[in-house]
Amino acid sequence: MENNRNLFITIILSVIILAVWQYFYIGPRIEAERQAQLEVQAQQQAETPAAAGNGQTDLPSATAGASGASAPDAMADDGEAEAGRVTIETPTLIGSINLRGARFDELQLKNYRETNDKNSAIVTLLRPSSDADGYFGEFGYIGFEGAPGPDAIWSAPAGAELTPTSLVELTYEAANGVTFTRTVSVDDQYMFSVSDSVTNNSGGALALQGYGRSTRFSKPEFPPIFVLHEGLIGVTGEEGLEELTFGEIEDDGQYEPGKSNDGWVGITDKYWATAVIPEQGTSFQPRYSYFTDGRIRYQVDTLSDTITINNGQVAEFNNQFFAGAKKTSIVDGYEESLGIRQFELMIDWGWFHFITKPLFYLLDWLFHLFGNFGVAILITTVIVKAIFFPLANMSYASMARMKVVQPKMTEIREKYGEDREKMQKAMMELYKTEKINPVAGCWPILIQIPVFFALYKVLYVTIEMRHAPFFGWIQDLSAPDPTSMFNLFGLLPYDPTAVPLIGTLLAIGVWPLIMGLTMFLQMRMNPAPPDPTQAMIFNWMPVVFTFMLATFPAGLVIYWAWNNLLSLIQQGVIMRRNGAKIELWDNLRKLFDRSQKADDTN
């Protein structure tokens, strides 16, 4: 019994530590993100372009083909005027290609808005380098003077427009007679294909290297948390998955893994990402960088091996550029259809991806079946309960048998008193005789914890859950319950969460209260623990969790409340079948009797 108590207390304290961390760190961050989103439109209107950087040399100075050559590591002069644009219009994207450098530097996501307000601005992913939050993708070449890089002015047909049904052909003619013909196409989601044909009419052999890069001038306003990777990412070579946060690359300056014949490199935010994808099967050098010369910037890039093109010959270079939302079906689809190595890792499923991703697939399937992610969470909880029903049934049955032998356990305690060694020995003999597993009662909680963490991960990192409504006032399952008992759930005209210092403490909505009530009832199903410490923990745990989980995503709180209710019903049925007394009503009666006596005494 002592081991059972210690294990149970350890589990409870572990969850409380998570809740405290959520309350004091994640909760304020989520609230700050929400407030920042509400101000995005006003901020965008007030923004002024940052001053152009001078003296920045984004292209490598290394001789083409020479040992130690690297991909571009500096910017074109941001002060240069644009050379025209080619419009991009797809079912999911709107933007344009800057003909200076043939950059993808203006892109918005048509299906996503900055806030849950349907009238808010659509999400802007890519911006020109002249913007304070510049972010772009670019493909170019090094190897000879005049090779098309950031400053190159590409030509496009008049009225050219890039759509899923109409590709765009760009051309660039170098002074030495080398012609670059670029064909850009886009699918109906977020993948661009860039195919270059290089014709050498220079009169001699030509050594050339192609590069691709994604560069941004700012990082997320809020630092990343341990359940989510934001920063530089890639899968290449023998190293496989590489994840460098913005802070880590700032410390390292540059990281260059070994060469690779497949894979990709990118920059990822919580819900959005860009990725440079060289032609799979061709050798390239990946690199992750942080530059401080001129304007601070973060960059991932790839550099192909040197190719020699003889006079009169034509060489082909093929790359792809991903820029968009990290929607699971789309990311997985690209990995399968385009053969991109482990592209699914663009989404941070975490160490327990073998639980997290299947759980997401189940939720997503149920969502498409019922049309509501909240309903999908409720049904998923029932399915998980059904899968683990035999184990939970054994656990509750063992707990019920322990209630039946409770008088014998009391006799043993009274008989041996302070002689804990003899008492433990007698207890173990009793467990053996009655075929009781003293740890069995912990299994329902142990089962719930992995699912809890997996669901937390799904709610926090998947874009499918972003702004996903339930019913009534829950319009975003990935955000906390917006109601608060401290303004009578919206009846009083003020926002308790805006109170300095204690605002998060006052954000106790309807669903956290329901969760706390179900936990309270579940605790009262069992007799009061004889140990004062354990009894105190049991009494206060529902209250503590009500406050702590108020800052958790509403979807997670709904899951917990629903799971508690199902467990309550399941435990009651099993206890009746085993002839054990259900202590719920007696415990409630005693609780109110004590309250009444205390009032009478006062």
Side-chain angles (χ1 to χ4, degrees), residues 195-347:
S195 300
D196 288 346
S197 177
V198 184
T199 304
N200 181 13
N201 292 321
S202 65
L206 181 72
L208 197 65
Q209 289 177 278
Y211 71 83
R213 63 169 173 160
S214 179
T215 304
R216 65 185 287 175
F217 294 89
S218 62
K219 59 182 178 180
E221 180 180 357
F222 304 100
I225 61 173
F226 85 94
V227 297
L228 172 71
H229 172 71
E230 291 180 295
L232 282 56
I233 186 173
V235 175
T236 60
E238 296 181 357
E239 292 84 357
L241 176 65
E242 299 281 2
E243 293 180 321
L244 296 167
T245 66
F246 291 103
E248 288 172 339
I249 196 63
E250 287 170 4
D251 293 337
D252 297 340
Q254 191 171 110
Y255 171 64
E256 191 171 292
K259 284 191 174 183
S260 180
N261 293 312
D262 58 8
W264 51 277
V265 294
I267 301 177
T268 181
D269 291 289
K270 183 176 181 179
Y271 294 124
W272 335 109
T274 60
V276 174
I277 309 162
E279 184 174 6
Q280 304 295 283
T282 62
S283 179
F284 63 90
Q285 175 63 59
R287 186 178 64 164
Y288 308 86
S289 304
Y290 171 68
F291 299 112
T292 57
D293 58 307
R295 289 174 62 192
I296 289 174
R297 58 201 181 279
Y298 307 84
Q299 181 169 302
V300 294
D301 53 57
T302 63
L303 181 67
S304 71
D305 287 348
T306 302
I307 295 179
T308 300
I309 310 173
N310 293 321
N311 185 51
Q313 290 186 338
V314 178
E316 301 289 337
F317 293 82
N318 297 294
N319 295 279
Q320 290 172 312
F321 181 62
F322 172 87
K326 299 191 298 184
K327 190 173 182 179
T328 306
S329 59
I330 294 176
V331 172
D332 288 354
Y334 285 142
E335 177 177 337
E336 182 177 352
S337 63
L338 302 179
I340 305 172
R341 176 184 171 189
Q342 293 182 294
F343 200 55
E344 64 160 345
L345 298 181
M346 176 71 75
I347 301 173

Side-chain angles (χ1 to χ4, degrees), residues 52-75:
N54 296 319
Q56 299 178 23
T57 54
D58 253 22
L59 289 179
S61 58
T63 303
S67 175
S70 61
D73 57 5
M75 293 285 308

Side-chain angles (χ1 to χ4, degrees), residues 79-123:
E80 294 289 344
E82 291 187 358
R85 288 187 172 272
V86 173
T87 301
I88 300 171
E89 180 77 39
T90 79
T92 58
L93 299 171
I94 185 170
S96 63
I97 299 173
N98 187 349
L99 291 179
R100 179 176 292 279
R103 285 182 179 176
F104 300 94
D105 67 354
E106 188 178 76
L107 204 62
Q108 293 179 293
L109 311 183
K110 295 166 68 174
N111 295 336
Y112 298 96
R113 298 192 176 274
E114 295 286 358
T115 71
N116 210 16
D117 184 354
K118 294 181 180 180
N119 296 319
S120 65
I122 59 176
V123 170

